[in-house]
Structures are given as C-alpha cells and as structure tokens.
Amino acid sequence: MLKPACQTYTWEMLGDAFRGEPDDLLAAIGAAGYQGIEITDTMIGAYAGRPGAFAEALAKNGLVLVAFACGSSSGFTEEAALAEDLAMVERALAFTAAFPGAVLSLGSATVMSPGPREAKFAAAARFYNAAGEAGRRHGVTVAFHPSSHHDTLLETRADYDRIMELTDPTLIGWVPDTGHILRGRQDILDTLETYATRIRYLHLKDVDASGHWAMLGAGACDIPAVVATVAKAPNFNGWLVVEEESEEAGRDPAAAVAKNRRMLKDAVGV
C-alpha cells in the first residue's frame, strides 16, 4: 500500500532564516495531510536522543517516523573519519530503533578532499557496508541516498553502478530520489528497474528540463510512471516521501508541502 510522507529539508534549506522548532514542522506536515515524516539529524533539535518524547509529538500530529536521515562533514569518503562516522551511526540507530519500521537514511557520499575518485568510492563503500552491519544488529534497515549537490560522488549512472557494485545488497539499501536522478541525466526508469531490489522507499522531487528544482508535477518527472515502477520493487516499504527544494518552497515551506500533498493525490491517488 502506498503511503504519503514529507521530508523536512524544505525547512532545513532555509538555514538561519528558519527560526522554528521541530514541532512547527510536525504541525505543518500533519496539517497538510501526510501520514509520515522523514526528519534529519539537523532538524531533530531538542528531540535528539529522546525517542519517547518524539514519538509523543508524532502521535499528536497523526504522523509516524518513516526515516531518520543523517550526514557527516566527512562526506562518508574520508577514511580517517570512519570510526567517528560509525559512532554517529550507532547513536542514530539507537534512536531509529525506537520506531518500528523506520529506516536510517545516510546521505550521499561526497568528495571533501583531493584524491583519486576510486579511493573515495572504496571509503564510502566501507562506511555504508559497516553501517548496514550495525543496522542489522539493531534491527533497523539502513539505506543510502545519493544526491546531485555540489561535489557529490554519486550523481551519474556510472557512479550509481560503482557504489552498487561495492556495497552489499543484503546490508545496505537505496533511497532513490527522482530529482537527483534526473539532474544526473540518467534514464530514471531504467535506473529504478536495474536496482529495484535495493529500493527501500522513494524520494519524490521534481526538476525542470534544465535541472532546476520545480514544485512536484511542474517539472520533467513522470510521477505516475516512477511510482508504478517503484511499487513493483520487492523490498519497497510503500512510503512516498515528498521532498521540496524549489524557490517557491523557500518562500513558504508550509504552503509548498501542502500543495505537493494535493499534487501527489491528483497524480497517483495517494
């Protein structure tokens, strides 16, 4: 069964211009009619390390935690940061484990220093595989989320092929992001079909033909075709997580996520 959720990056991308609290995000997302939320380690705020309190806040707004998303200043490609990054993963897993079915989503491997790209891929794969092993111990599904942002290591189809080759499919899943796949100039349906067994849940974003962020349904993403393809993936948990990075969303995040919720219902009946 397909279920609608919302990612909190729409507020996070505002940086210091956002002066609210996690409760403001939950209220806006719940009021818009979403059933679930993906929140990041940046936006969790005072609920960090307090899963019981966060569970109460979610319930108050009619939401469940779909995923807890984490990143690192190492970009997960610095060998010297491996131990520190895995310690972060342990803390994140302890939090996520309190929410049955929630996924730990790890950000895109990113190049943070000079060096051969293959060494960066090797370091990222070691991290992702070790994080997946930790997730198995905690009983939490772990997945990685490639992006198309500056210095990402995971943008083109060749990049996806390499990280998939180096990581263990029994340990680490994939969170495909429609906007980032399109910005990487990939054949989106072919990529989704090729790595269907790795899909855990879906990030829905839209971009125009030039790769600029657009509101959901206003860009190049064939939402019904994407959703139909992902729905057949054997390990897909049913969550469609809408994430919005457009200029319109920057002007009014709450209105933008509400508009996207209506668009999702019109596009795929969810």
Side-chain angles (χ1 to χ4, degrees):
M1 181 176 68
L2 299 175
K3 300 164 286 187
C6 185
Q7 225 276 359
T8 60
Y9 189 75
T10 305
W11 288 268
E12 184 174 343
M13 70 179 184
L14 302 179
D16 292 340
F18 176 67
R19 302 183 183 279
E21 301 293 337
D23 289 336
D24 299 317
L25 310 184
L26 300 184
I29 292 169
Y34 293 95
Q35 297 174 18
I37 185 172
E38 176 180 353
I39 196 166
T40 68
D41 51 354
T42 300
M43 301 306 283
I44 195 68
Y47 289 116
R50 301 173 59 225
F54 191 55
E56 291 178 4
L58 288 171
K60 179 181 177 182
N61 291 281
L63 298 168
V64 300
L65 182 65
V66 175
F68 185 45
C70 297
S72 169
S73 60
S74 74
F76 303 135
T77 59
E78 298 291 321
E79 190 69 37
L82 180 61
E84 182 178 354
D85 285 342
L86 289 177
M88 175 276 291
V89 166
E90 289 288 344
R91 294 190 297 271
L93 286 168
F95 181 87
T96 310
F99 302 90
V103 176
L104 176 63
S105 175
L106 299 169
S108 186
T110 303
V111 176
M112 307 301 291
S113 65
R117 280 177 62 83
E118 187 56 29
K120 305 298 184 185
F121 274 105
R126 278 193 290 273
F127 166 74
Y128 286 140
N129 284 330
E133 290 177 351
R136 178 177 287 177
R137 293 194 301 272
H138 284 265
V140 174
T141 297
V142 180
F144 60 83
H145 172 255
S147 82
S148 58
H149 291 306
H150 185 64
D151 288 333
T152 181
L153 191 68
L154 309 177
E155 181 173 11
T156 68
R157 177 58 184 269
D159 296 337
Y160 280 45
D161 290 344
R162 188 61 179 137
I163 199 64
M164 296 294 186
E165 179 183 14
L166 291 171
T167 51
D168 185 341
T170 69
L171 294 175
I172 188 82
W174 171 41
V175 182
D177 183 301
T178 56
H180 290 308
I181 295 171
L182 289 170
R183 276 164 54 99
R185 292 179 166 78
Q186 300 186 44
D187 180 329
I188 188 168
L189 296 184
D190 183 66
T191 299
L192 292 170
E193 290 169 352
T194 299
Y195 296 112
T197 60
R198 302 291 288 264
I199 297 171
R200 299 299 182 264
Y201 63 96
L202 177 68
H203 265 203
L204 274 175
K205 278 209 297 288
D206 217 338
V207 295
D208 64 21
S210 300
H212 296 110
W213 300 118
M215 290 288 295
L216 195 67
C221 184
D222 186 340
I223 297 166
V226 164
V227 171
T229 299
V230 171
K232 295 182 290 185
N235 299 307
F236 172 58
N237 66 10
W239 284 107
L240 306 176
V241 179
V242 180
E243 184 179 19
E244 186 56 61
E245 299 188 41
S246 66
E247 291 183 4
E248 181 175 342
R251 291 190 291 271
D252 192 337
V257 300
K259 183 177 179 179
N260 279 346
R261 177 69 190 94
R262 296 190 295 272
M263 173 60 208
L264 185 61
K265 188 171 184 178
D266 290 342
V268 295
V270 175

